[in-house]
Amino acid sequence: MMFPIRCFSCGRVIAHKWDEYQRRVSEGEHPRDVLDSLGFKRYCCRRMFISAVNVMDELIEFHQKYSEAPSA
Amino acid sequence: MKIVAEDSESITLDVSDLPHPLANALRRVIIREVPTMAVEEILVIENSSPMTNEVLAHRISLIPFITDLDNFNVAEECSCQSRLGCEKCVVRFVLRAEATDQPITVYSRDIKPERHDTKVAPFDGNIPLVALAPRQKIELELYVRLGRGRKHAKWQSGIATLYEENSRWLLYVESYGFLPPRRMVLEAARIVKTRIEEIGAGLKELMAREPQSAG
């Protein structure tokens, strides 16, 4: 749903760099260079970033659009 | 033992002069035994976020907390013997967040300690935990305890690997953020030492016994 706190394979904490990664990639930087400068050396941690899909953002958008009145 | 390389989150040691089983014991103890702090119990007072209580609690439990080894005891080994814990084995935190008219993201920096004189805190404040749509709210009480990696991987202090390179043995230790890597190795060495002494004492006792006649 949201970006995982830790890498599935090695257990290293990765989530604290997610916002910076997303910002820099959206500004046009190559994910490879961003991951290098963030210090992710192992490919298990790197794939966590490049393959992440954040469904939570869509869920929040859905909530905003379709739940105008509080249900209770 | 020589330090080959060191930075804020990892250390590489040359352990060629150490007996190999001892170097391996260090490696295993770093993974399994070095005590660290993580959220062990969560009281959910309110959670109207899109995430279920269990998923949210699991995410929070994986956050490493800066560990105060000198002032705290491992929960099961504490003298208080209480399930609720005492001030020597539990730190309480509160996580409260509410979205008013704009969606918000709750971060680990929103986790506030109940007492402000504690060194214990999430090792980084920028971990996104959950997103809240307008009018959603979470209110949680977190109980942080000292534990060991053998009970749950959230307490694993870091990564340790022993490998051979250019015919010398290297021990690479990487911290997850609970403790500085140097402290991890020292703590592991202390634990290995007490273990070896225990084995020595046990063997001595065994050998001092009267030999039993074979039945």
Side-chain angles (χ1 to χ4, degrees):
Chain A
M1 246 204 306
M2 284 192 87
F3 191 64
I5 306 273
R6 296 196 185 211
C7 169
F8 291 157
S9 301
C10 70
R12 186 193 157 109
V13 184
I14 48 174
H16 59 302
K17 303 282 187 196
W18 171 245
D19 281 359
E20 189 183 342
Y21 170 84
Q22 235 187 356
R23 198 199 74 237
R24 285 171 62 180
V25 169
S26 69
E27 281 168 4
E29 248 183 280
H30 195 288
R32 182 221 301 133
D33 305 329
V34 182
L35 289 170
D36 282 341
S37 75
L38 291 178
F40 292 104
K41 286 171 281 184
R42 289 184 287 273
Y43 55 66
C44 59
C45 306
R46 295 169 77 93
R47 61 92 206 256
M48 298 298 291
F49 282 88
I50 55 175
S51 62
V53 180
N54 202 342
V55 187
M56 190 57 105
D57 293 345
E58 283 171 49
L59 264 176
I60 295 296
E61 212 175 300
F62 175 83
H63 262 281
Q64 269 187 292
K65 273 189 184 156
Y66 298 103
S67 64
E68 300 294 43
S71 53
Chain B
M1 225 159 39
K2 277 200 300 284
I3 295 171
V4 179
E6 188 181 14
D7 60 38
S8 62
E9 62 178 26
S10 70
I11 188 168
T12 310
L13 300 161
D14 185 342
V15 288
S16 309
D17 51 346
L18 224 61
H20 203 217
L22 200 59
N24 188 44
L26 271 178
R27 179 190 70 82
R28 290 185 52 147
V29 164
I30 287 168
I31 294 168
R32 249 175 79 92
E33 306 281 341
V34 173
T36 55
M37 278 177 158
V39 176
E40 166 70 344
E41 220 165 332
I42 294 186
L43 188 67
V44 182
I45 298 158
E46 191 172 344
N47 175 22
S48 52
S49 76
M51 220 174 249
T52 58
N53 295 349
E54 294 88 336
V55 176
L56 183 59
H58 182 247
R59 277 181 76 83
I60 292 171
S61 76
L62 290 176
I63 304 170
F65 278 68
I66 295 166
T67 303
D68 185 358
L69 275 182
D70 306 316
N71 297 316
F72 286 91
N73 300 325
V74 176
E76 294 89 37
E77 296 154 24
C78 186
S79 55
C80 71
Q81 288 297 313
S82 148
R83 208 191 70 83
L84 284 171
C86 63
E87 70 272 10
K88 293 286 281 172
C89 59
V90 68
V91 198
R92 297 216 295 178
F93 287 82
V94 191
L95 176 58
R96 224 180 255 125
E98 190 175 1
T100 45
D101 51 343
Q102 284 299 312
I104 59 163
T105 307
V106 185
Y107 286 91
S108 55
R109 57 174 166 269
D110 301 320
I111 299 176
K112 298 280 184 257
E114 206 149 72
R115 286 171 51 166
H116 291 277
D117 55 351
T118 178
K119 275 201 290 183
V120 182
F123 91 111
D124 195 294
N126 291 322
I127 303 173
L129 297 173
V130 65
L132 298 177
R135 292 185 301 277
Q136 289 182 338
K137 189 182 170 189
I138 57 166
E139 191 173 347
L140 311 169
E141 213 172 282
L142 319 174
Y143 296 82
V144 172
R145 296 220 169 92
L146 203 59
R148 300 180 196 277
R150 66 169 177 231
K151 193 177 174 201
H152 193 291
K154 69 185 175 189
W155 281 309
Q156 186 185 330
S157 69
I159 295 165
T161 39
L162 189 59
Y163 61 99
E164 193 180 17
E165 195 175 79
N166 303 328
S167 68
R168 56 177 191 168
W169 282 94
L170 299 172
L171 179 65
Y172 170 76
V173 178
E174 185 180 306
S175 170
Y176 282 157
F178 299 99
L179 293 163
R182 221 176 239 257
R183 182 74 202 262
M184 280 164 63
V185 178
L186 290 175
E187 206 59 40
R190 204 181 53 75
I191 295 169
V192 172
K193 184 165 170 257
T194 48
R195 283 293 165 81
I196 292 172
E197 281 166 2
E198 274 168 30
I199 294 170
L203 281 175
K204 219 175 192 175
E205 197 192 303
L206 204 65
M207 278 149 73
R209 275 196 202 160
E210 285 282 308
Q212 305 261 320
S213 59

